[in-house]
Amino acid sequence: MKVDVVVIGGGAAGMAAALKVSEQGARVVLVERDERVGGILNQCIHNGFGLHYFREELTGPEYAERFKKALEEKDIEVLTNTFVKALDVREKKLVVVSEDGIRILETKALVYAAGARERAFGSLMVPGDRPSGIFTAGVAQRFMNVENRLPGKRALILGSGDIGLIMARRLTLEGVEVVGVVERLPYPGGLLRNVIQCLEDFGIPLFLSSTVVEVRGRERLEEVVVAKVDENFQPIPGTEKVFEVDTLILSVGLIPQIELLEDLVEVNPTSKGIATSNLGQTSIEWIFAAGNCTAIYDLVDYVTYEGEMAGKYAALYAKGERFGPKVAVKAGENVMVVQPNWYDPSEELTLYVRTRKVIEKGRLVVGSFEKTFEELVPSEMLRVKIPRRHLNGLSEIVVEVKEE
Amino acid sequence: MSALKRLVCVQCPLGCKISVELSDTNRILSIVGNRCPRGEEYARDELENPKRVLTTSVRVLNGEYPLVSVKTNKPVPKSLIPELMKTIRNLKVEAPIECGSVLVEDVLGTGADLVATRTVRRAKG
């Protein structure tokens, strides 16, 4: 099969990218490993999506359904239950596998939109037994919201990111007793609104500056030991507390999924995702990337915008346009994550910035651009458009947040 | 004497920090910090009768999936949520279901409809 653009991944970024490619009049095929498109949105049945992009509040499945409908209306070819096995960078060919066997896709440009993976229990090095009953939040969410299965009866949640908080509410609503949410930082990882409507509404305790130090259980989880931690996240002896639970839910972070490309393209050192320009272009000029495989975004709306950008420029590339040169974007003082990695003046620079710590009042400085923000927290990402005139003549763009 | 009550609006992910000034008889004197009218409504409700949009799922018969995700199409009193969950748990709907279709009108007299938030087609075969 010969196309102009292949899009890998049918989540929010991939669907937006495929639609943009088709809008540019280029031929696109979307490859999705699941049985349907929509990605993680399909299992995020809570609301709060779409306020920026659609100017209304939607649930995850509703947000996904708008794009699914558009893909159908535009008659965009979607290969579901299909996995990309290999990529031939020189020949611009992809080997894909599905029930029908192996197929080769020949393309002119690629949009990689593979999303993220959850950090798993094994990577936390928690001492103790290895019983059943330990789930990542996303797996528990899929069980409950898609497959109609409850993970257990009495649960503790490790990690207070938004997924952890939302799962605390979801479990409680379905009759699972949630004994608490454990967070190693001195402040919650998720949005304040979720602390209120997911924990406080249901009287679920939040244990800050604490972590899980041991799990016990023969076949099924029986006990989880929680202890306070010091400022270096080291458990403080004597502060241990034992929770009798059959379920431990982990919400301890997302990792950009980059396997297919990691040895081929440059990686963003701040996000550990695929490095891209503000056009979505990677260090290999015919490969574009967007969404959570480039950096973990706070809002799906942002993922959609970036997916559209990558789709547009992949289509233009396939038609023979070339872009550049690019200027490097680097993280400076107090900046933990900055996306994108390069600035291409073909488009205005939209920056996504996560600070390294809580900052009461901070001044974002980018070239000659300055803007002051209040109450900056690492869990809430800034999205800022930097007008071109502030970046003229720079050989390198350093993004800094100065404390005031 | 007046008192200040601080709230974080939960209507959308912006999470505006709202301050409500209350008189000594708990009358609302002023509401500041909200960036849209929904914030003012939220602050009023939160002090008098807290409300939330409920999202959950309903069992599907003969569908390609066993569940359809649902929401109340407007916020419902927080105090009614446990009872609403009981009602919804006993509900079964027959596929096909269109996204946006009303599954229960005026659920438990809240004035809110229970609406499907995804399309579930009928199972093949």
Side-chain angles (χ1 to χ4, degrees), chain A residues 19 37 67-76 78, chain B residues 121:
Chain A
L19 283 165
V37 294
F67 288 89
K68 281 182 209 176
K69 281 233 166 81
L71 290 172
E72 283 164 22
E73 278 161 19
K74 294 257 163 69
D75 217 9
I76 290 170
V78 179
Chain B
R121 285 180 297 240

Side-chain angles (χ1 to χ4, degrees), chain A residues 45-315:
Chain A
I45 66 168
H46 54 280
N47 56 0
F49 302 94
L51 279 151
H52 291 259
Y53 192 80
F54 289 115
R55 306 236 163 248
E56 61 179 298
E57 189 174 35
L58 302 171
T59 63
E62 289 172 310
Y63 191 98
E65 196 133 333
R66 293 199 177 188
F67 288 89
K68 281 182 209 176
K69 281 233 166 81
L71 290 172
E72 283 164 22
E73 278 161 19
K74 294 257 163 69
D75 217 9
I76 290 170
E77 186 157 7
V78 179
L79 307 177
T80 51
N81 286 322
T82 304
F83 190 80
V84 178
K85 208 187 157 306
L87 174 66
D88 184 335
V89 174
R90 211 180 294 160
E91 300 288 321
K92 296 189 184 179
K93 283 180 185 168
L94 291 94
V95 181
V96 302
V97 187
S98 71
E99 288 165 329
D100 306 328
I102 287 179
R103 243 201 289 193
I104 308 290
L105 305 180
E106 277 181 67
T107 191
K108 294 175 182 155
L110 173 68
V111 178
Y112 184 76
R117 290 272 192 193
E118 291 180 279
R119 195 178 298 280
F121 183 67
S123 69
L124 302 180
M125 314 291 261
V126 177
D129 304 321
R130 291 295 179 264
S132 68
I134 302 171
F135 307 92
T136 59
V139 167
Q141 190 180 46
R142 188 179 169 107
F143 279 177
M144 295 183 72
N145 296 345
V146 178
E147 298 176 11
N148 197 27
R149 292 192 276 178
L150 271 190
K153 295 191 176 77
R154 210 173 128 85
L156 182 76
I157 296 174
L158 175 59
S160 66
D162 287 310
I163 316 171
L165 299 175
I166 281 158
M167 282 310 292
R169 172 177 62 184
R170 187 77 198 111
L171 288 158
T172 307
L173 284 174
E174 293 294 353
V176 178
E177 190 188 347
V178 179
V179 299
V181 175
V182 175
E183 169 61 55
R184 67 175 194 158
L185 292 168
Y187 50 85
L191 299 172
L192 262 179
R193 77 187 286 255
N194 285 329
V195 175
I196 294 167
Q197 60 178 358
C198 299
L199 301 187
E200 289 176 14
D201 274 9
F202 299 96
I204 300 168
L206 175 58
F207 302 103
L208 296 172
S209 301
S210 301
T211 195
V212 169
V213 292
E214 191 185 342
V215 292
R216 299 172 183 158
R218 270 188 300 275
E219 288 184 6
R220 178 76 190 197
L221 182 65
E222 289 162 25
E223 289 178 344
V224 175
V225 186
V226 172
K228 286 263 178 199
V229 295
D230 61 22
E231 46 299 359
N232 302 317
F233 305 124
Q234 291 307 307
I236 304 170
T239 62
E240 294 85 357
K241 220 169 148 179
V242 178
F243 290 90
E244 283 180 28
V245 290
D246 64 6
T247 305
L248 176 64
I249 307 276
L250 306 173
S251 171
V252 290
L254 298 172
I255 302 164
Q257 185 166 292
I258 61 173
E259 285 94 9
L260 188 68
L261 300 183
E262 67 183 328
D263 298 330
L264 305 169
V265 302
E266 279 185 46
V267 168
N268 179 334
T270 68
S271 70
K272 315 282 185 244
I274 308 282
T276 69
S277 73
N278 55 324
L279 313 181
Q281 194 172 29
T282 71
S283 57
I284 297 179
E285 62 171 16
W286 65 279
I287 300 178
F288 295 73
N292 280 353
C293 65
T294 62
I296 305 299
Y297 289 90
D298 277 9
L299 300 180
V300 69
D301 305 63
Y302 298 168
V303 167
T304 300
Y305 293 133
E306 296 312 305
E308 289 184 339
M309 188 68 82
K312 175 183 166 186
Y313 281 90

